[in-house]
Amino acid sequence: MRALPNIVITGTPGVGKTTTCTQILALASQSDPPLNLQHLSINDLVKTRSAHSGYDEELQTLIVDEDKLMDEVEKEIEDGAGNGGWIIDWHSTEGFAIRWVDLVVVLRCEETAILYDRLSSRGYKDAKVQENMDAEIFGVVADEAREGWTEEGQVVELKSTEAEDIEENAERILQWVKNWLKDREAKGDGD
Ligand code: ADP
């Protein structure tokens, strides 16, 4: 049994995953007692563990070697103490084992003009901006998550359009962690 839950923060590029993770960690460290959550940026893992097989110029992205990547993810979150508390930041849930994760948060930015600005300000080419906008409009990441985690409440979608949403979402996710801890304690007492 993990001491803290593992949470995936997912969504189309540009929805605010990394910003939200940073905010969750900041709130967790200020909480009383502090909660020892850790950010697992899968983007960084792809690069640092060479879990890729080259660069796709058209899509301006590393070609991910999913098997290698998932081995590395498993090493991070299951090896060691396996104590949990990972806030996992990735634009997909494909390949993740259901057992690794207690909650999947899908951030959504359905205001296409806002998402367009965020993506184009990253220097993405039109094709890449369009691909991501389509993915967001069709809710591809949310569908994929719901296919994996079918229990009620395991997948939540949160709006990430305005700056206030970041703070609100981070507070909500932290509250979910606190509730998870309370439930776990209550279950432990009853055993
Ligand atoms: P992701 O990790 O999902 O690709 P980022 O967290 O890197 O997205 O955010 C991309 C950009 O959009 C950043 O400049 C960030 O400040 C901005 N941003 C993200 N979410 C919001 C939001 N809810 N309100 C305002 N700006 C946001």
Side-chain angles (χ1 to χ4, degrees):
M1 185 73 174
R2 303 189 248 273
L4 283 164
N6 289 330
I7 301 178
V8 175
I9 309 292
T10 190
T12 311
V15 288
K17 298 181 292 295
T18 303
T19 317
T20 302
C21 288
T22 306
Q23 187 59 23
I24 295 169
L25 262 65
L27 292 179
S29 65
Q30 291 156 18
S31 116
D32 184 20
L35 293 169
N36 186 23
L37 301 179
Q38 301 183 75
H39 184 200
L40 181 61
S41 162
I42 305 292
N43 243 340
D44 289 349
L45 269 194
V46 170
K47 291 180 199 148
T48 57
R49 311 282 170 87
S50 299
H52 59 83
S53 57
Y55 188 76
D56 183 327
E57 293 291 342
E58 186 55 35
L59 289 175
Q60 296 175 278
T61 186
L62 288 168
I63 303 160
V64 174
D65 174 343
E66 200 186 290
D67 289 344
K68 164 102 171 114
L69 178 62
M70 288 306 137
D71 284 350
E72 295 299 330
V73 173
E74 183 163 24
K75 263 187 218 161
E76 283 301 302
I77 65 181
E78 294 251 80
D79 285 5
N83 270 340
W86 291 104
I87 306 296
I88 305 162
D89 173 356
W90 187 227
H91 60 249
S92 169
T93 51
E94 216 177 301
F96 281 83
I98 309 295
R99 68 173 190 282
W100 293 346
V101 178
D102 300 289
L103 177 71
V104 179
V105 177
V106 186
L107 297 179
R108 301 298 309 265
C109 179
E110 288 171 293
E111 298 275 341
T112 47
I114 293 179
L115 187 62
Y116 181 89
D117 287 346
R118 289 189 202 157
L119 293 169
S120 46
S121 70
R122 283 183 169 176
Y124 286 172
K125 290 182 197 157
D126 284 351
K128 178 151 179 163
V129 172
Q130 199 53 52
E131 192 208 11
N132 284 316
M133 301 258 295
D134 288 348
E136 183 58 15
I137 291 163
F138 290 112
V140 171
V141 181
D143 282 353
E144 182 189 82
R146 275 198 222 88
E147 277 165 27
W149 287 267
T150 49
E151 259 175 54
E152 178 131 9
Q154 275 191 311
V155 177
V156 296
E157 278 184 60
L158 298 176
K159 175 173 87 72
S160 178
T161 312
E162 283 131 39
E164 305 87 80
D165 296 329
I166 300 277
E167 184 75 27
E168 231 173 79
N169 292 340
E171 277 169 10
R172 226 171 127 173
I173 293 162
L174 201 70
Q175 192 52 51
W176 187 94
V177 172
K178 290 180 183 169
N179 292 343
W180 185 94
L181 285 169
K182 268 193 215 145
D183 283 355
R184 192 175 148 274
E185 225 169 88
K187 275 187 199 143
D189 288 348
D191 279 346

